[in-house]
Amino acid sequence: MRWIFRGIKKGILTTKYPEEKPAYDEVPEIGLPVPDKCADFASAESNCPTGAITNAVDAEKCIFCGRCEDFRFKRSRTVELAEVRKTLPFSKSIHVFVADVGSCNACNREVEMLNNPFYDFHRLGIFFTPTPRHADVLLVVGYPVEKTVKALLEAYDAMPEPKVVVAAGSCALSGGIFGEEGIDRYIDVDVRIPGCPPPPIALLHGLLKASGR
Amino acid sequence: MISGEVEANRISVDELEDIAKNRDVALTAYFCRGDECLYVWTDYERGRTEFTATKEFDLRSRPLFHALSGEMDAYRLKCPGNDVISLHYGPLTTGLWEAGAFEILTYGERILNVTPDFGYKRREVEKKVVGRRVEEAIFLIERLCGTYSVAYSNAFCYALENGCPERAEYIRAIALELERLYNHFHVIQRLTAAASQKVAISHFSALVEEILRLNAKLFHHRYAFGLNVPGGVRRNVDVNIIDKKLDAIEKDFEELVNILLSSRIFIDRIHNTATLSREDVLKLDSIGIAARGSGVKRDVRTFDSFYSNVPYRVMCERDGDSLARTVVRIREIRNSIEIIRHLISELPQTALKSEVECNGFRYGRVEAAHGDVFVAVEVKDGVVKWMGIRPASLVNYVAFIHAVERNVFTDFPFAIESFGLSFADSDR
Ligand code: SF4
Ligand code: SF4
């Protein structure tokens, strides 16, 4: 009972996203780095640990380490979404099976954070499911470790049609800091969410896109 | 900071045996480095880290040794007998939230034996850093376990440096305490989740989110990746933001803990669950929360000179069950808030970074939220030649295996969550 009173006292914390743009608190300067007018491209390029900087910044390779900030790059306040190839034919209620294939624990912690009252993803009709049999979306995070990828493919096969694969985090997309290749080698990815780790708002954005919203 | 030269702290087996005669010496780490074996021992009373190269010293009686050398099979029950059900739980389950698996032997009610099955997250960080420059190696080390990134990168930096600017040290300590806060909140959240206290989950996960947002504003990263650089820190902090937020968080937390600890349903689930006795801790060389919950004062901050000017107190409980570990966490949360307040009020005005000359074979240790992490690194002209990491989870998994035996099956989540272990950490 006391819990409930406390809840009422605390008021509403939930983000206004997606009806409104994310607030500053939700996404402060943690986005993709963008070059200043007088940015030192050459130095930034040679110092970037993943080779994300060429003429522009590759969101999928960037590990958001902040090193290029030493060379007049500024962190943006936007949520990036690289690419959407396929969406689900229905959008009201989607069930997500989370598959961690070797993350550093930050990516899956951010996925877990979708549950908290600040994001409350149930209000948008998104739910986690403990079994791939009920899942419409396979959310893959982490650097593909061979032993786990086997389990991932089994989970994918067990999912009913229609299904989409969402990959989140630079590890899954490009191998990030750990390697040269991401999950693409093993499975076709439909929605790509960059970040290291992608903040919950970015995950929300990606999952909504996967359901065609 | 706790760091030093490996060679300067090397002792012989006889000397070690001498020390071990009248004092309790814990096995901390074991590494194979080329054809040499390196054993690390800690004398928590005197605050010393010693290195030996022996194979002989009483190792069969050290159950931890198997985990350190990667033989988890040694903890498996050999002949469980008939009627025993064997379960393989993992690697992809929403229950664990992580890619990891447990081999569980049970009669259906009592747990006979649990062994974690590693290898599902092996990214081989220790191998991948070799040959990289230290500035770049740090990004890999932060991502060894994202939720303890500050602890690891601090330990790595302290291992490299021979002193850093004071302000940088303060900022690192603030980041470390913030990390401790959100991990402790998160453990309590998971415990309430195991007890299906839906409203409590929301409240505590809101606290986790508050700290992560604070991190994002301070360090441009929710988990403070990229904060540390060899020789100092990359970013300055805005003291005012922390001050305001901290008051609100403290107030919320006190209210929540009050309600939580008066909930009989919750307390009943963690009371007498997964008990670890004082003798177990000494035998299993457990560290961190697991040791402190059983009344053994093991916290590397106690012999860190930096913390002697800070209102830091080592928190201990005696009972050794999940409740005791939770109470230690609650008291550490209060202490962490106090420490952060002190640090921001005394933040010295010095440079943020200094040049480091990276050469030699050194070690660094930092107390993370779950236990102390140990990093040894050999560097030549700023390039990593060899690296050994002893994560805290690996050590406390052994404690968990022992503590969870003979518990009922439904206590499993309460047991595992109270230790706050992570597969990413031990599987590096
Ligand atoms: S933040 Fe790091 S990884 Fe991303 S572009 Fe800058 S230097 Fe490269
Ligand atoms: S993308 Fe970054 S945060 Fe996510 S698992 Fe990889 S290293 Fe960790």
Side-chain angles (χ1 to χ4, degrees), chain B residues 5 31 86 140 177 287 312 321 341 417-418:
Chain B
E5 297 271 350
F31 302 109
S86 160
L140 271 158
E177 293 308 320
I287 49 171
Y312 153 76
D321 54 357
R341 283 225 178 89
E417 299 306 355
S418 71

Side-chain angles (χ1 to χ4, degrees), chain B residues 367-420:
Chain B
E367 186 76 26
H370 56 333
D372 60 283
V373 299
F374 178 94
V375 173
V377 58
E378 188 183 359
V379 192
K380 190 145 187 286
D381 302 325
V383 177
V384 179
K385 288 278 174 241
W386 180 85
M387 170 140 213
I389 296 174
R390 195 293 319 263
S393 293
L394 190 58
V395 178
N396 279 352
Y397 264 120
V398 179
F400 162 72
I401 293 169
H402 184 82
V404 78
E405 269 172 33
R406 300 171 308 279
N407 276 266
V408 288
F409 202 71
T410 42
D411 283 342
F412 183 77
F414 296 96
I416 181 84
E417 299 306 355
S418 71
F419 283 91

Side-chain angles (χ1 to χ4, degrees), chain A residues 2 6 10 25-26 63 69 75 100 102-104 108-110 112 116 119 130 147-148 178 196, chain B residues 97 99 118 120-121 128 143 146 186 190 205 209 213 217 220-223 235 252 255-256 262:
Chain A
R2 288 170 71 191
R6 237 206 74 90
K10 189 96 183 133
D25 266 7
E26 287 149 21
I63 56 163
E69 283 171 53
R75 300 288 285 278
D100 161 15
S103 88
C104 72
N108 36 3
R109 185 67 69 84
E110 292 295 53
E112 197 186 336
N116 79 32
Y119 304 104
K147 199 171 163 188
T148 325
F178 291 113
C196 181
Chain B
W97 286 102
F118 293 140
Y120 292 103
K121 306 190 88 160
K128 282 178 186 164
R143 286 160 181 79
H186 182 255
R190 285 269 182 93
S205 59
E209 178 72 19
R213 287 184 176 189
K217 275 190 213 155
H220 293 200
H221 196 288
R222 284 164 59 93
Y223 295 88
R235 293 176 219 291
D252 271 4
E255 274 178 39
L256 291 176
S262 59

Side-chain angles (χ1 to χ4, degrees), chain B residues 240-363:
Chain B
N240 294 333
I241 308 181
I242 311 180
D243 218 11
K244 251 191 267 146
K245 232 344 14 110
L246 220 51
D247 289 343
I249 288 171
E250 188 181 25
K251 194 164 149 274
D252 271 4
F253 171 72
E254 291 299 340
E255 274 178 39
L256 291 176
V257 160
N258 239 329
I259 311 178
L260 190 70
L261 292 185
S262 59
S263 158
R264 288 304 297 265
I265 310 167
F266 178 69
I267 299 294
D268 276 350
R269 299 305 304 267
I270 55 176
H271 187 214
N272 278 338
T273 301
T275 310
L276 198 68
S277 71
R278 196 188 149 82
E279 289 68 41
D280 293 338
V281 169
L282 299 179
K283 194 175 91 210
L284 304 174
D285 293 314
S286 317
I287 49 171
I289 294 283
R292 296 199 287 280
S294 307
V296 184
K297 286 189 180 158
R298 286 187 177 168
D299 186 328
V300 297
R301 285 179 294 174
T302 46
F303 46 91
D304 188 340
S305 58
F306 178 79
Y307 285 92
S308 56
N309 310 320
V310 171
Y312 153 76
R313 289 180 308 279
V314 52
M315 299 299 170
C316 265
E317 282 292 314
R318 282 224 306 277
D319 294 347
D321 54 357
S322 293
L323 177 61
R325 285 186 286 276
T326 310
V327 172
V328 172
R329 277 180 208 274
I330 290 171
R331 291 169 55 195
E332 284 193 7
I333 289 170
R334 295 188 182 126
N335 193 209
S336 283
I337 293 176
E338 204 182 325
I339 293 175
I340 297 173
R341 283 225 178 89
H342 174 87
L343 291 175
I344 53 178
S345 69
E346 308 247 301
L347 202 61
Q349 297 292 343
T350 64
L352 288 178
K353 264 186 256 184
S354 64
E355 287 297 313
V356 272
E357 190 198 322
C358 298
N359 263 319
F361 184 22
R362 294 168 55 85
Y363 72 92

Side-chain angles (χ1 to χ4, degrees), chain A residues 63 102-108 141-143 168-172 176-178 195-198, chain B residues 123 143 146 221 225:
Chain A
I63 56 163
S103 88
C104 72
N105 213 7
C107 267
N108 36 3
V141 295
Y143 176 73
S170 46
C171 279
I177 188 91
F178 291 113
C196 181
Chain B
R123 292 142 293 155
R143 286 160 181 79
H221 196 288
F225 291 3

